PDB file of all heavy atoms in Angstrom:
ATOM      1  N   MET A 770      -4.364  -4.311  12.181  1.00 75.00           N
ATOM      2  CA  MET A 770      -3.817  -5.656  12.698  1.00 75.00           C
ATOM      3  C   MET A 770      -2.378  -5.641  12.489  1.00 75.00           C
ATOM      4  O   MET A 770      -1.807  -5.226  11.397  1.00 75.00           O
ATOM      5  CB  MET A 770      -4.442  -6.821  11.918  1.00 75.00           C
ATOM      6  CG  MET A 770      -4.026  -8.184  12.484  1.00 75.00           C
ATOM      7  SD  MET A 770      -4.952  -9.468  11.572  1.00 75.00           S
ATOM      8  CE  MET A 770      -6.538  -9.144  12.197  1.00 75.00           C
ATOM      9  N   LEU A 771      -1.542  -6.013  13.463  1.00 77.00           N
ATOM     10  CA  LEU A 771      -0.067  -5.859  13.520  1.00 77.00           C
ATOM     11  C   LEU A 771       0.401  -4.500  13.329  1.00 77.00           C
ATOM     12  O   LEU A 771       1.493  -4.330  12.683  1.00 77.00           O
ATOM     13  CB  LEU A 771       0.484  -6.936  12.543  1.00 77.00           C
ATOM     14  CG  LEU A 771       0.212  -8.385  12.633  1.00 77.00           C
ATOM     15  CD1 LEU A 771       0.883  -9.206  11.570  1.00 77.00           C
ATOM     16  CD2 LEU A 771       0.596  -8.919  14.057  1.00 77.00           C
ATOM     17  N   GLY A 772      -0.405  -3.521  13.563  1.00 86.00           N
ATOM     18  CA  GLY A 772       0.008  -2.125  13.438  1.00 86.00           C
ATOM     19  C   GLY A 772       0.027  -1.690  11.991  1.00 86.00           C
ATOM     20  O   GLY A 772       0.728  -0.722  11.624  1.00 86.00           O
ATOM     21  N   SER A 773      -0.712  -2.395  11.116  1.00 95.00           N
ATOM     22  CA  SER A 773      -0.741  -1.941   9.744  1.00 95.00           C
ATOM     23  C   SER A 773      -1.417  -0.600   9.510  1.00 95.00           C
ATOM     24  O   SER A 773      -2.315  -0.248  10.288  1.00 95.00           O
ATOM     25  CB  SER A 773      -1.454  -3.058   8.892  1.00 95.00           C
ATOM     26  OG  SER A 773      -2.802  -3.162   9.217  1.00 95.00           O
ATOM     27  N   ASN A 774      -0.973   0.024   8.494  1.00 97.00           N
ATOM     28  CA  ASN A 774      -1.473   1.373   8.175  1.00 97.00           C
ATOM     29  C   ASN A 774      -2.514   1.259   7.087  1.00 97.00           C
ATOM     30  O   ASN A 774      -2.289   0.511   6.052  1.00 97.00           O
ATOM     31  CB  ASN A 774      -0.306   2.286   7.751  1.00 97.00           C
ATOM     32  CG  ASN A 774       0.633   2.627   8.787  1.00 97.00           C
ATOM     33  OD1 ASN A 774       0.290   2.766   9.937  1.00 97.00           O
ATOM     34  ND2 ASN A 774       1.929   2.721   8.425  1.00 97.00           N
ATOM     35  N   THR A 775      -3.539   2.057   7.172  1.00 98.00           N
ATOM     36  CA  THR A 775      -4.526   2.286   6.098  1.00 98.00           C
ATOM     37  C   THR A 775      -4.294   3.795   5.677  1.00 98.00           C
ATOM     38  O   THR A 775      -4.293   4.653   6.683  1.00 98.00           O
ATOM     39  CB  THR A 775      -5.928   1.985   6.491  1.00 98.00           C
ATOM     40  OG1 THR A 775      -6.101   0.606   6.702  1.00 98.00           O
ATOM     41  CG2 THR A 775      -6.881   2.465   5.443  1.00 98.00           C
ATOM     42  N   TYR A 776      -4.269   4.121   4.441  1.00 98.00           N
ATOM     43  CA  TYR A 776      -4.088   5.536   4.084  1.00 98.00           C
ATOM     44  C   TYR A 776      -5.301   5.929   3.147  1.00 98.00           C
ATOM     45  O   TYR A 776      -5.852   5.166   2.304  1.00 98.00           O
ATOM     46  CB  TYR A 776      -2.826   5.603   3.210  1.00 98.00           C
ATOM     47  CG  TYR A 776      -1.570   5.476   3.876  1.00 98.00           C
ATOM     48  CD1 TYR A 776      -0.895   4.209   3.942  1.00 98.00           C
ATOM     49  CD2 TYR A 776      -0.949   6.527   4.671  1.00 98.00           C
ATOM     50  CE1 TYR A 776       0.296   3.979   4.525  1.00 98.00           C
ATOM     51  CE2 TYR A 776       0.280   6.274   5.280  1.00 98.00           C
ATOM     52  CZ  TYR A 776       0.858   5.049   5.312  1.00 98.00           C
ATOM     53  OH  TYR A 776       2.092   4.847   5.854  1.00 98.00           O
ATOM     54  N   VAL A 777      -5.653   7.176   3.329  1.00 98.00           N
ATOM     55  CA  VAL A 777      -6.600   7.868   2.420  1.00 98.00           C
ATOM     56  C   VAL A 777      -5.771   8.905   1.795  1.00 98.00           C
ATOM     57  O   VAL A 777      -5.216   9.741   2.341  1.00 98.00           O
ATOM     58  CB  VAL A 777      -7.787   8.499   3.100  1.00 98.00           C
ATOM     59  CG1 VAL A 777      -8.645   9.290   2.146  1.00 98.00           C
ATOM     60  CG2 VAL A 777      -8.621   7.443   3.877  1.00 98.00           C
ATOM     61  N   LEU A 778      -5.688   8.771   0.402  1.00 98.00           N
ATOM     62  CA  LEU A 778      -4.933   9.719  -0.413  1.00 98.00           C
ATOM     63  C   LEU A 778      -5.832  10.485  -1.333  1.00 98.00           C
ATOM     64  O   LEU A 778      -6.781   9.803  -1.916  1.00 98.00           O
ATOM     65  CB  LEU A 778      -3.982   8.944  -1.227  1.00 98.00           C
ATOM     66  CG  LEU A 778      -3.244   9.681  -2.451  1.00 98.00           C
ATOM     67  CD1 LEU A 778      -2.247  10.672  -1.869  1.00 98.00           C
ATOM     68  CD2 LEU A 778      -2.536   8.691  -3.405  1.00 98.00           C
ATOM     69  N   TRP A 779      -5.753  11.850  -1.447  1.00 98.00           N
ATOM     70  CA  TRP A 779      -6.657  12.516  -2.294  1.00 98.00           C
ATOM     71  C   TRP A 779      -6.044  13.584  -3.091  1.00 98.00           C
ATOM     72  O   TRP A 779      -4.915  14.219  -2.578  1.00 98.00           O
ATOM     73  CB  TRP A 779      -7.832  13.017  -1.525  1.00 98.00           C
ATOM     74  CG  TRP A 779      -7.668  14.141  -0.486  1.00 98.00           C
ATOM     75  CD1 TRP A 779      -7.771  15.418  -0.723  1.00 98.00           C
ATOM     76  CD2 TRP A 779      -7.138  13.943   0.859  1.00 98.00           C
ATOM     77  NE1 TRP A 779      -7.492  16.188   0.518  1.00 98.00           N
ATOM     78  CE2 TRP A 779      -7.086  15.253   1.436  1.00 98.00           C
ATOM     79  CE3 TRP A 779      -6.888  12.932   1.661  1.00 98.00           C
ATOM     80  CZ2 TRP A 779      -6.682  15.401   2.772  1.00 98.00           C
ATOM     81  CZ3 TRP A 779      -6.477  13.048   3.013  1.00 98.00           C
ATOM     82  CH2 TRP A 779      -6.364  14.352   3.488  1.00 98.00           C
ATOM     83  N   ASP A 780      -6.588  13.921  -4.168  1.00 97.00           N
ATOM     84  CA  ASP A 780      -6.209  15.044  -5.043  1.00 97.00           C
ATOM     85  C   ASP A 780      -6.812  16.366  -4.350  1.00 97.00           C
ATOM     86  O   ASP A 780      -8.020  16.372  -4.138  1.00 97.00           O
ATOM     87  CB  ASP A 780      -6.651  14.899  -6.428  1.00 97.00           C
ATOM     88  CG  ASP A 780      -6.241  16.067  -7.336  1.00 97.00           C
ATOM     89  OD1 ASP A 780      -6.621  17.129  -7.143  1.00 97.00           O
ATOM     90  OD2 ASP A 780      -5.277  15.683  -8.247  1.00 97.00           O
ATOM     91  N   THR A 781      -5.991  17.314  -4.012  1.00 97.00           N
ATOM     92  CA  THR A 781      -6.567  18.474  -3.354  1.00 97.00           C
ATOM     93  C   THR A 781      -7.401  19.409  -4.180  1.00 97.00           C
ATOM     94  O   THR A 781      -8.160  20.267  -3.637  1.00 97.00           O
ATOM     95  CB  THR A 781      -5.390  19.365  -2.762  1.00 97.00           C
ATOM     96  OG1 THR A 781      -4.470  19.741  -3.860  1.00 97.00           O
ATOM     97  CG2 THR A 781      -4.595  18.624  -1.748  1.00 97.00           C
ATOM     98  N   ASP A 782      -7.376  19.194  -5.479  1.00 96.00           N
ATOM     99  CA  ASP A 782      -8.256  20.001  -6.400  1.00 96.00           C
ATOM    100  C   ASP A 782      -9.592  19.362  -6.565  1.00 96.00           C
ATOM    101  O   ASP A 782     -10.679  19.976  -6.463  1.00 96.00           O
ATOM    102  CB  ASP A 782      -7.599  20.191  -7.780  1.00 96.00           C
ATOM    103  CG  ASP A 782      -6.405  21.136  -7.715  1.00 96.00           C
ATOM    104  OD1 ASP A 782      -6.372  22.043  -6.836  1.00 96.00           O
ATOM    105  OD2 ASP A 782      -5.457  20.938  -8.490  1.00 96.00           O
ATOM    106  N   THR A 783      -9.523  18.043  -6.921  1.00 97.00           N
ATOM    107  CA  THR A 783     -10.769  17.329  -7.191  1.00 97.00           C
ATOM    108  C   THR A 783     -11.423  16.728  -6.029  1.00 97.00           C
ATOM    109  O   THR A 783     -12.656  16.323  -6.086  1.00 97.00           O
ATOM    110  CB  THR A 783     -10.539  16.266  -8.271  1.00 97.00           C
ATOM    111  OG1 THR A 783      -9.696  15.231  -7.671  1.00 97.00           O
ATOM    112  CG2 THR A 783      -9.785  16.803  -9.490  1.00 97.00           C
ATOM    113  N   LEU A 784     -10.664  16.449  -4.967  1.00 98.00           N
ATOM    114  CA  LEU A 784     -11.152  15.793  -3.764  1.00 98.00           C
ATOM    115  C   LEU A 784     -11.454  14.283  -3.986  1.00 98.00           C
ATOM    116  O   LEU A 784     -12.050  13.622  -3.207  1.00 98.00           O
ATOM    117  CB  LEU A 784     -12.301  16.485  -3.111  1.00 98.00           C
ATOM    118  CG  LEU A 784     -12.114  17.939  -2.619  1.00 98.00           C
ATOM    119  CD1 LEU A 784     -13.296  18.451  -1.910  1.00 98.00           C
ATOM    120  CD2 LEU A 784     -10.817  18.017  -1.612  1.00 98.00           C
ATOM    121  N   GLU A 785     -11.016  13.839  -5.206  1.00 98.00           N
ATOM    122  CA  GLU A 785     -11.150  12.331  -5.523  1.00 98.00           C
ATOM    123  C   GLU A 785     -10.036  11.586  -4.758  1.00 98.00           C
ATOM    124  O   GLU A 785      -8.959  12.021  -4.648  1.00 98.00           O
ATOM    125  CB  GLU A 785     -11.214  12.121  -6.935  1.00 98.00           C
ATOM    126  CG  GLU A 785     -12.448  12.727  -7.603  1.00 98.00           C
ATOM    127  CD  GLU A 785     -12.661  12.335  -9.083  1.00 98.00           C
ATOM    128  OE1 GLU A 785     -11.710  11.645  -9.605  1.00 98.00           O
ATOM    129  OE2 GLU A 785     -13.620  12.641  -9.682  1.00 98.00           O
TER     130      GLU A 785
END
Side-chain angles (χ1 to χ4, degrees):
M770 186 172 295
L771 299 183
S773 62
N774 294 323
T775 293
Y776 294 96
V777 177
L778 167 71
W779 68 96
D780 185 293
T781 56
D782 292 329
T783 67
L784 298 184
E785 294 189 354

